[in-house]
Amino acid sequence: MLEIVNAIKNGSESAFEQAFLASRNKVYLYFLKKTGGEEDARDLLQNTFLRLWQYRQSLNPAYSLDQQIFHIAKTVYIDFLRKQQLPLHNGLQEHEAVAIHPGTTTWDIDRRLHRILDTMPPARQKAFILNRLQGYSYKEVAEKLSITVKAVENHIAKAVKQLKKTLLILLSIFFFQ
């Protein structure tokens, strides 16, 4: 399995397809059990493998591919739960927020987030992506980046502060034009 992790990490689409075919049923059943809905399970399955491909450079050959896929699946499910429970845009639900700014899509938001992340120092960016987007704990991030847990905490705090500041500026431009 080490070879397939390295192959995916190096951008092999055939290795990625092989991993998808080998794991899709297990991941789908995991989501189906969690959500109780076939459509949600399919969407979450797709998001899991999308993230696997998006963040393939951070795959760790020390862990099995199944462990890493299910770690991603867990974070995708947590994100799904957060979206189900948290109101967006000062109390507006997602469908209402889209009505305010119909051109905004999840892809647009993701693109803007990555633009902001690209302005961060590399260590801060990596720490944020591993923790907040891929769901690794501070300890796991520290191990992956060979830094202390305290350094990870500092990187995440600074990244969140920078994101809030940048997003606040963007929101103020949008609402006060």
Side-chain angles (χ1 to χ4, degrees):
M1 264 317 202
L2 174 63
E3 292 117 19
I4 195 164
V5 171
N6 283 328
I8 293 170
K9 189 172 182 170
N10 292 325
S12 169
E13 291 179 18
S14 63
F16 175 78
E17 183 178 357
Q18 181 183 354
F20 174 76
L21 293 173
S23 301
R24 70 178 172 198
N25 290 337
K26 290 184 283 189
V27 176
Y28 173 77
L29 291 173
Y30 167 78
F31 286 131
L32 186 60
K33 183 178 176 184
K34 293 281 191 186
T35 65
E38 291 180 12
E39 187 175 334
D40 285 336
R42 281 192 301 271
D43 289 346
L44 295 172
L45 171 69
Q46 183 178 4
N47 287 339
T48 298
F49 281 93
L50 178 64
R51 281 194 192 174
L52 175 65
W53 183 253
Q54 245 177 342
Y55 301 107
R56 64 189 175 274
Q57 292 85 8
S58 64
L59 289 175
N60 187 342
Y63 298 99
S64 76
L65 185 60
D66 271 354
Q67 284 178 305
Q68 294 180 80
I69 288 172
F70 275 94
H71 186 79
I72 294 168
K74 180 180 133 189
T75 60
V76 165
Y77 181 65
I78 290 169
D79 289 346
F80 170 78
L81 290 177
R82 285 181 184 149
K83 286 179 186 175
Q84 299 295 315
Q85 295 173 357
L86 294 178
L88 302 173
H89 303 286
N90 295 326
L92 297 176
Q93 297 301 318
E94 186 172 8
H95 65 278
E96 295 170 313
V98 171
I100 289 174
H101 193 43
T104 300
T105 64
T106 303
W107 184 81
D108 291 330
I109 293 167
D110 189 52
R111 193 178 45 134
R112 288 180 184 148
L113 171 65
H114 283 283
R115 267 200 233 142
I116 296 167
L117 289 173
D118 286 342
T119 67
M120 294 179 185
R124 185 180 306 165
Q125 180 184 22
K126 287 177 187 171
F128 182 86
I129 288 171
L130 288 169
N131 177 254
R132 295 297 173 99
L133 300 181
Q134 296 182 356
Y136 288 96
S137 69
Y138 283 5
K139 183 180 177 186
E140 291 170 321
V141 173
E143 290 170 1
K144 283 182 171 292
L145 299 180
S146 301
I147 58 177
T148 66
V149 172
K150 186 68 177 167
V152 172
E153 291 172 5
N154 289 334
H155 282 307
I156 300 298
K158 288 177 182 177
V160 168
K161 184 177 180 180
Q162 184 176 347
L163 281 166
K164 283 181 180 178
K165 183 179 175 182
T166 306
L167 292 173
L168 185 61
I169 292 168
L170 287 172
L171 284 173
S172 64
I173 291 169
F174 174 73
F175 284 109
F176 299 111
Q177 285 183 358

